[in-house]
Amino acid sequence: MTDSQEEFTYKHYYYPLNVPDDQDASDSTLNNKKTASKRSKPTEQNNIDVFFEKPKKKRRTTISSSVAQATDGGLSYISSNDGDGVSASHLIKIDVYDMKNLEGVLPIDYWKYADLRLKYYVKSDADKFYHSTRDIIYNITKQIAGRHDCKKYFIDRDNKQ
């Protein structure tokens, strides 16, 4: 199915949009939804409860550091798989894109075309990668702020109107 055909399907209705970065959307959780319709017919006609049965096996999800790199038309992932996000003090997320690959792509789908995606859970403020990342952020911010047409914006997250 091409991307233009997929755009008009109910794919996101049946498959969750919030699949963690380090998990594959084609795993057993999604396959359980497919098999629900193959089970025996409910005793009452048009009983919707059969579609919302509790899964037999609970899935263990971990919040782990991961790196994804574009390979062979997709993204290949590695993950620490140790739940290091549970006790983390900070999260560093970096996505790198080749802009010519994003032509004609909706912003919501950019993540599919990343050359590199990184999620790193920082254990403490003393982490050397945390400090290196803060240095990079400072230098990029300084470069942007130094432009003659730089504009400043503010979004009030605490305003509860």
Side-chain angles (χ1 to χ4, degrees), residues 90-115:
H90 292 82
L91 166 63
I92 298 171
K93 287 181 78 171
I94 299 173
D95 293 348
V96 179
Y97 301 93
D98 182 345
M99 291 302 291
K100 63 183 166 203
N101 292 339
L102 297 178
E103 289 180 24
V105 176
L106 294 173
I108 197 168
D109 292 327
Y110 279 4
W111 68 272
K112 296 176 187 177
Y113 299 90
D115 289 336

Side-chain angles (χ1 to χ4, degrees), residues 34-63:
K34 293 177 186 175
T35 58
S37 62
K38 294 180 183 177
R39 294 187 184 131
S40 62
K41 293 185 179 183
T43 54
E44 293 181 67
Q45 188 177 13
N46 298 330
N47 185 351
I48 196 168
D49 294 337
V50 72
F51 295 104
F52 299 99
E53 291 176 356
K54 185 176 179 180
K56 305 223 185 294
K57 191 174 171 184
K58 242 189 179 165
R59 181 189 179 125
R60 183 179 153 248
T61 57
T62 59
I63 302 171

Side-chain angles (χ1 to χ4, degrees), residues 75-136:
L75 289 173
S76 182
Y77 280 87
I78 61 170
S79 171
S80 64
N81 204 31
D82 63 0
D84 52 346
V86 174
S87 60
S89 65
H90 292 82
L91 166 63
I92 298 171
K93 287 181 78 171
I94 299 173
D95 293 348
V96 179
Y97 301 93
D98 182 345
M99 291 302 291
K100 63 183 166 203
N101 292 339
L102 297 178
E103 289 180 24
V105 176
L106 294 173
I108 197 168
D109 292 327
Y110 279 4
W111 68 272
K112 296 176 187 177
Y113 299 90
D115 289 336
L116 182 109
R117 298 184 74 203
L118 175 129
K119 262 191 341 185
Y120 178 67
Y121 289 95
V122 178
K123 295 284 186 188
S124 74
D125 291 346
D127 186 291
K128 67 180 180 178
F129 298 120
Y130 176 70
H131 287 286
S132 298
T133 304
R134 296 293 297 184
D135 288 342
I136 291 169

Side-chain angles (χ1 to χ4, degrees), residues 15-27 30 59 111:
Y15 299 102
L17 291 174
N18 59 350
V19 174
D21 293 341
D22 56 334
Q23 293 177 1
D24 184 3
S26 64
D27 63 7
L30 300 178
R59 181 189 179 125
W111 68 272

